[in-house]
Amino acid sequence: MKLSVWTYEGPPHVGAIRVATGMKKVHLVLHAPQGDTYADLLFTMIERRNHRPPVTYTTFQARDLGSDTATLFKDACLEAYERFKPDLLLVGASCTAELIQDDPGGLAEALGLPVPVVALELPSYQRKENFGADETFYQIVRKLAHPVERSSEITCNLIGPTALGFRHRDDIVEITKLLNEVGVQVNVCAPMHATPDDITNLGRAHFNVLMYPETGETACRHMERTLGLPFTKTVPIGVSATKEFVEEVLGIIGRSAGESSIASRLPWYSASVDSTYLTGKRVFIFGDGSHVMTAARIAKEEIGFDVVGVGCYNREMARPVRAMAKEFGLDALITEDYLEVEAAIADLSPELILGTQMERHIGKRLGIPCAVISAPVHVQDFPARYSPQMGAEGANVIFDTWVHPLVMGLEEHLLTMFREDFEFSDTAGPSHHAAHSPNQEIVDQPASVTASDQGANVIWLSDAEKELRKIPFFVRGKARRNTEKYATDRGVAQISIETLYEAKAHYAR
Amino acid sequence: MVGSRTCAHLLQSAAGVMIFAEPRFATAILEETDLAGMADAHQELERVVSDLLSRRPDIKRLFLVGSCPSEVIKLDLATMAKKLSKKYYPSVNVVNFSGSGIETTFTQGEDACLEAVIRDLPNDDKTQLAVLGALPDVVQDQMLRLLTDMGIEDVLVLPQQTAGAPAGVGKNTHFICAQPFLGAAYDEMVRRGANAIHAPFPFGANGTTEWLAAIAKRFGVEQDKFDAVTAGPKARAERAIAKVSETLTGRSIFFFPDSQLEVPLARFLSDECGMKLTEVGSPYIHRALVGEDLKLIEHNAVISEGQDVEKQLDRVTACNPDLTVCGLGLANPLEAQGFSTKWAIELVFSPIHFYEQAADLAGLFARPIVRSDLLNVGGAI
């Protein structure tokens, strides 16, 4: 048993719904109690879809438990088929139905429906949302995709985008454009936008573009084996990664990898003197494995930040994230416990957090700016405007998004020079984020249990307290905790200016 | 909540941004190993509770909320609650109720919780008024002021704001519900010998007046005094409603079942705002509770209990209402088809009871209509 308030991922059947909702002419019958219909609103509200997700829930109740639930399931299948006339029926069970052990696959098979039926195994007590999406799509491909004649022109499939994916909608457009520029047409994009008929035609392509390993890798490996389709390994987020992706594509289609240019403004914006103050800004990165790995590279190589922490919540990506962290000289934080993430952030006191909606709120609590790079996300990260993460335009979007929450360069100097002036008080935060100004009490005393307890019986002399306030606000919390720890460790009961600088020297590397 | 990842995900999705404000709820997520052996699960729960209580020593009452998974595997949370109560006596009181989807719908969770709380209350034979149903603080204070002004001082509001505050119920307790979804709590009060007061629910000027009048009658408040207390706020509420209901008069409305608030709200909208009722759906209709409201609308609306969402959607299409009250899973899809909708969940969390909120309540229904008249760029995609 694990006590949890926030969860980074939903249960696996939500992953199945993401695949079904992304596709067309597909219907999912989910054996589930009535409360489970809550998942609909993720799609109608967060993604703002204008239709109901193509899911029928059996909505069994306590009085149905017993042999009745199997009948209920069969009736639901028949009614859903009659009403929606899908080309493909998916059947599965949510966590509760998994316990009552009706067999959705067998029951649906016995109905003899005139369309293919794919039975999903969704182990709710071991796996999570991303697995559910990956597995569902793999099962659909396994059932429907068979070798067919290759297209005469060079084509590829886009694999991995789903409903409720972070910027999947615009990434598809951006990558399609990028591929078209090098003469590659898109055969099928799946699961998003694909019909079951499209899935049977996946084999027409010459190769697969694996856009999101979390939701498409198993299907790509399967197609590599059964359809002979190689797939791309580079996720084209960031300028360098996009270049490498294009070269990888050219390699697959047997064209010489010339000097590919990516028309992004990021390199110049990042090189311009206005960005100098970004150098070495300490950044903490957390999210799903793919977005974290690409973000870390952009942060380090393309913007010049100092990556001080990386981690991901999906264990499926733990190995590559660990390997990458090692290259950065870091230990990756692989956890789905937001308290661990919060403790790590409080401990590192970064100047910028790149993360999910959870990290956004952690950042708000600790008074640290944050930009969102990965699901899970709230409604504002399904924007109306075009805002991909992939390709050239994606790099533009990323530059703007990440720099925006930071205090601007000149502003930062002014805040440090005139910190005691009422107009420039650093408690005000970035001038363009009036609503997000950090609360100084919180910045100075993070509510985490890391070090403040130890320091509770140490008294700050007023001179030292005043001196502490002269330290830039983004490192002040850390300075306070370090000094308190230093004093406690040495049995010093009062912190003077002397102690403060002794501690600073002690912790300096 | 003792349940699965689905339960945690549901709470997170439903609580929206509140989830980030260190809420005092959490899910003990069952894992594969918990399903293997039952003794194990009990020990695990004890461990989780012990961790939680040491982290949050301010907690005085801990609810173990049952879920579909915990009920299907027959995890005995009631016995666990007793055992834990004994273990942590007297600092923490542990109570169990079910919030599972196989047994309860939405607001029935409050009902099941309140029923469990009432069951634990000691006996007290003093004469008092008990008001059942959690209300926003500001609304509760308005209610208590009105009752005090009528001379009714001894009022017990359930649930109380603080666990363990002195309270008891008995045969001289007269009780009234402020929320229509408290069927089980109502039945529990009756079992405890308390006397029910029946009235329409306090929505709108008339609803509030009737509700207060029923209490006044039971407690022998004189008509003059009652009029003196209610006349001012009632007139104020009527004036305010009149302004908002210009938008609503003559428009038709369809209720999908959601919170059991549907029957009294339909009564308010037809009786005080001039709306035309088409269908009033409610997940469950407790006649002893909503009977007074039901009587006032039965003659001019289709009342439906329970749900079959596909058939209900067909009926919405057939009767083409001006406003449809529904959940968030249906609202945007219906809007995209050109129907104006009012999402129902807001009605549970907004202050809507009693005189001062009457116009706000009407406003919640007027807003989507005003908005669709206002926008001029086309809605459907």
Side-chain angles (χ1 to χ4, degrees):
Chain A
M1 234 175 253
K2 175 134 181 49
L3 197 68
S4 175
V5 178
W6 293 357
T7 60
Y8 283 97
E9 290 184 73
H13 72 259
V14 170
I17 301 175
R18 285 176 55 185
V19 169
T21 305
M23 291 182 73
K24 295 186 177 103
K25 298 187 178 178
V26 173
H27 200 84
L28 167 63
V29 177
L30 200 60
H31 205 14
Q34 58 170 347
D36 285 5
T37 54
Y38 81 90
D40 281 1
L41 72 87
L42 301 172
F43 299 90
T44 58
M45 298 305 294
I46 295 179
E47 203 179 10
R48 250 187 272 244
R49 284 193 174 253
N50 61 356
H51 61 88
R52 293 165 62 210
V55 186
T56 296
Y57 303 84
T58 54
T59 62
F60 57 81
Q61 298 185 329
R63 60 170 180 268
D64 302 318
L65 292 177
S67 63
D68 268 15
T69 51
T71 319
L72 208 64
F73 180 81
K74 283 191 278 192
D75 292 348
C77 273
L78 285 173
E79 277 171 34
Y81 176 73
E82 277 309 313
R83 189 175 177 96
F84 299 102
K85 289 278 172 5
D87 290 351
L88 169 69
L89 195 70
L90 305 174
V91 295
S94 79
C95 52
T96 306
E98 191 184 337
L99 296 171
I100 60 175
Q101 297 185 330
D102 290 329
D103 170 22
L107 291 169
E109 202 67 50
L111 294 174
L113 294 173
V115 288
V117 175
V118 169
L120 304 171
E121 289 292 337
L122 304 166
S124 312
Y125 298 91
Q126 300 152 292
R127 309 303 292 265
K128 288 172 280 175
E129 181 177 331
N130 278 326
F131 168 85
D134 186 70
E135 172 70 11
T136 301
F137 183 55
Y138 161 62
Q139 293 297 347
I140 293 172
V141 170
R142 205 172 76 115
K143 179 93 176 183
L144 298 181
H146 295 289
V148 287
E149 201 183 329
R150 287 274 136 87
S151 61
S152 52
E153 74 279 27
I154 295 178
T155 59
C156 70
N157 303 312
L158 302 184
I159 302 298
T162 63
L164 214 63
F166 176 64
R167 307 295 167 85
H168 288 195
R169 178 195 72 195
D170 297 340
D171 281 348
I172 292 171
V173 177
E174 189 66 18
I175 289 308
T176 304
K177 206 160 66 182
L178 188 70
L179 289 162
N180 291 351
E181 279 165 18
V182 295
V184 177
Q185 300 302 310
V186 171
N187 175 49
V188 171
C189 173
M192 192 96 118
H193 305 328
T195 62
D197 199 37
D198 291 333
I199 302 294
T200 62
N201 280 320
L202 281 169
R204 278 175 51 80
H206 293 237
F207 67 100
N208 280 329
V209 169
L210 174 56
M211 292 176 68
Y212 307 102
E214 273 86 357
T215 48
E217 184 155 358
T218 310
C220 274
R221 292 193 184 283
H222 173 78
M223 286 187 270
E224 189 175 44
R225 281 193 308 274
T226 58
L227 306 177
L229 294 181
F231 65 93
T232 56
K233 311 291 191 295
T234 316
V235 176
I237 300 180
V239 177
S240 309
T242 302
K243 261 185 204 162
E244 275 174 33
F245 169 80
V246 171
E247 280 154 20
E248 195 184 354
V249 166
L250 293 175
I252 289 174
I253 62 178
R255 288 234 310 263
S256 63
E259 190 58 24
S260 42
S261 73
I262 303 300
S264 170
R265 291 182 198 96
L266 183 146
W268 165 239
Y269 269 51
S270 195
S272 73
V273 293
D274 190 55
S275 299
T276 313
Y277 82 105
L278 300 172
T279 314
K281 277 222 182 290
R282 309 170 72 254
V283 55
F284 179 90
I285 308 177
F286 197 83
D288 71 39
S290 305
H291 285 90
V292 163
M293 291 200 292
T294 50
R297 188 169 176 196
I298 299 168
K300 186 174 179 223
E301 297 173 12
E302 301 180 17
I303 302 188
F305 289 146
D306 181 12
V307 179
V308 295
V310 289
C312 71
Y313 57 79
N314 50 339
R315 260 162 221 288
E316 292 88 345
M317 296 295 281
R319 194 177 296 203
V321 169
R322 279 209 181 92
M324 187 209 61
K326 215 168 199 177
E327 285 172 32
F328 282 71
L330 301 167
D331 282 328
L333 176 66
I334 312 295
T335 182
E336 47 169 342
D337 183 349
Y338 70 96
L339 289 172
E340 279 185 49
V341 179
E342 185 174 62
I345 293 175
D347 189 44
L348 290 164
S349 299
E351 288 158 79
L352 175 68
I353 304 167
L354 302 174
T356 70
Q357 57 172 326
M358 317 296 194
E359 283 68 45
R360 206 158 52 82
H361 286 266
I362 291 172
K364 197 166 137 199
R365 252 171 67 89
L366 300 178
I368 302 171
C370 179
V372 172
I373 58 157
S374 160
V377 292
H378 277 317
V379 64
Q380 72 270 43
D381 274 300
F382 285 92
R385 67 182 182 278
Y386 183 57
S387 33
Q389 297 286 291
M390 293 185 171
E393 185 59 24
N396 295 341
V397 169
I398 285 173
F399 183 87
D400 288 348
T401 310
W402 294 9
V403 172
H404 185 74
L406 295 170
V407 175
M408 286 175 280
L410 184 58
E411 192 178 6
E412 190 174 296
H413 287 297
L414 292 172
L415 292 178
T416 319
M417 279 170 70
F418 301 106
R419 81 173 62 81
E420 310 223 308
D421 188 296
F422 67 96
E423 271 193 68
F424 290 101
S425 165
D426 55 18
T427 59
S431 61
H432 51 300
H433 285 304
H436 294 245
S437 64
N439 180 330
Q440 206 51 39
E441 296 311 308
I442 297 173
V443 178
D444 280 3
Q445 290 155 3
S448 73
V449 284
T450 45
S452 35
D453 286 348
Q454 301 164 16
N457 46 9
V458 189
I459 297 161
W460 283 80
L461 297 174
S462 66
D463 279 359
E465 183 80 45
K466 233 174 173 174
E467 193 78 2
L468 180 73
R469 296 206 168 270
K470 297 176 187 168
I471 296 171
F473 62 90
F474 43 84
V475 288
R476 200 178 297 150
K478 185 160 193 168
R480 176 186 285 278
R481 283 200 307 279
N482 281 351
T483 310
E484 286 173 358
K485 185 172 185 329
Y486 178 85
T488 312
D489 289 352
R490 278 157 193 75
V492 178
Q494 294 185 328
I495 295 172
S496 62
I497 294 183
E498 188 79 357
T499 326
L500 178 65
Y501 284 114
E502 283 289 337
K504 181 171 189 282
H506 175 77
Y507 286 104
R509 296 264 161 88
Chain B
M1 172 83 79
V2 182
S4 63
R5 176 171 297 278
T6 311
C7 306
H9 196 238
L10 184 153
L11 284 178
Q12 170 167 335
S13 311
V17 290
M18 213 171 73
I19 199 86
F20 298 104
E22 298 249 320
R24 285 171 298 166
F25 59 78
T27 307
I29 297 181
L30 293 164
E31 290 167 324
E32 179 108 280
T33 47
D34 299 310
L35 303 176
M38 297 302 294
D40 197 27
H42 288 154
Q43 274 171 16
E44 279 289 286
L45 188 57
E46 272 201 74
R47 179 184 59 78
V48 164
V49 166
S50 149
D51 285 355
L52 173 66
L53 291 178
S54 62
R55 214 163 67 199
R56 299 293 298 266
D58 54 319
I59 292 175
K60 295 280 172 276
R61 181 178 278 157
L62 184 71
F63 289 102
L64 296 180
V65 186
S67 67
C68 309
S70 79
E71 283 184 9
V72 168
I73 63 170
K74 305 222 179 331
L75 200 56
D76 187 358
L77 295 180
T79 305
M80 279 304 288
K82 282 200 190 100
K83 193 174 158 193
L84 289 167
S85 271
K86 207 180 270 176
K87 182 173 168 187
Y88 292 103
Y89 181 84
S91 51
V92 186
N93 167 26
V94 185
V95 182
N96 158 247
F97 70 92
S98 168
S100 77
I102 54 178
E103 293 193 329
T104 58
T105 305
F106 193 20
T107 48
Q108 273 183 288
E110 179 180 332
D111 189 23
C113 177
L114 194 54
E115 181 196 15
V117 169
I118 294 170
R119 212 183 296 131
D120 275 2
L121 288 179
N123 205 61
D124 190 338
D125 281 347
K126 75 169 173 198
T127 301
Q128 62 176 349
L129 172 68
V131 180
L132 270 53
L135 294 170
D137 291 351
V138 56
V139 174
Q140 184 170 319
D141 292 345
Q142 289 169 12
M143 172 189 83
L144 291 173
R145 270 201 301 274
L146 286 164
L147 293 171
T148 311
D149 290 350
M150 292 195 303
I152 301 168
E153 304 268 355
D154 225 337
V155 184
L156 170 67
V157 179
L158 293 171
Q160 295 170 282
Q161 277 182 331
T162 314
V169 294
K171 62 181 185 341
N172 293 324
T173 302
H174 298 269
F175 76 97
I176 188 161
C177 294
Q179 301 280 21
F181 43 73
L182 298 173
Y186 174 98
D187 294 343
E188 183 60 28
M189 288 296 279
V190 172
R191 263 197 297 279
R192 292 295 299 270
N195 314 290
I197 302 171
H198 295 111
F201 281 87
F203 298 122
N206 297 349
T208 305
T209 308
E210 296 276 320
W211 191 85
L212 290 171
I215 297 171
K217 192 173 162 207
R218 179 70 59 88
F219 282 80
V221 178
E222 282 172 23
Q223 189 65 38
D224 288 354
K225 187 162 198 182
F226 180 79
D227 290 344
V229 172
T230 56
K234 180 165 190 270
R236 191 157 64 222
E238 282 168 348
R239 274 200 309 276
I241 293 171
K243 230 181 284 170
V244 185
S245 62
E246 277 168 22
T247 310
L248 298 173
T249 307
R251 309 259 193 167
S252 60
I253 187 165
F254 185 106
F255 282 89
F256 274 88
D258 199 51
S259 62
Q260 299 185 54
L261 287 164
E262 296 84 1
V263 168
L265 289 180
R267 196 278 308 155
F268 163 70
L269 290 169
S270 82
D271 181 20
E272 303 187 39
C273 303
M275 291 194 86
K276 283 190 284 193
L277 306 176
T278 55
E279 177 168 334
V280 180
S282 180
Y284 182 69
I285 293 176
H286 193 289
R287 289 196 169 259
L289 261 175
V290 297
E292 299 295 319
D293 284 296
L294 206 53
K295 263 188 260 169
L296 296 167
I297 59 168
E298 251 168 344
H299 58 282
N300 57 7
V302 175
I303 311 289
S304 68
E305 186 177 3
Q307 51 200 328
D308 183 325
V309 69
E310 306 294 349
K311 285 183 187 145
Q312 275 154 341
L313 281 168
D314 289 344
R315 294 204 292 273
V316 167
T317 313
C319 72
N320 193 23
D322 294 315
L323 189 65
T324 304
V325 183
C326 63
L328 287 173
L330 294 176
N332 270 337
L334 284 170
E335 289 280 348
Q337 288 176 45
F339 294 100
S340 282
T341 61
K342 166 76 217 102
W343 50 283
I345 301 159
E346 197 177 13
L347 301 164
V348 177
F349 300 108
S350 305
I352 57 170
H353 294 70
F354 301 108
Y355 291 126
E356 314 303 343
Q357 282 67 237
D360 300 343
L361 176 57
L364 288 176
F365 293 92
R367 203 183 323 156
I369 295 173
V370 169
R371 186 166 178 78
S372 70
D373 290 348
L374 194 70
L375 297 183
N376 194 24
V377 285
I381 308 159

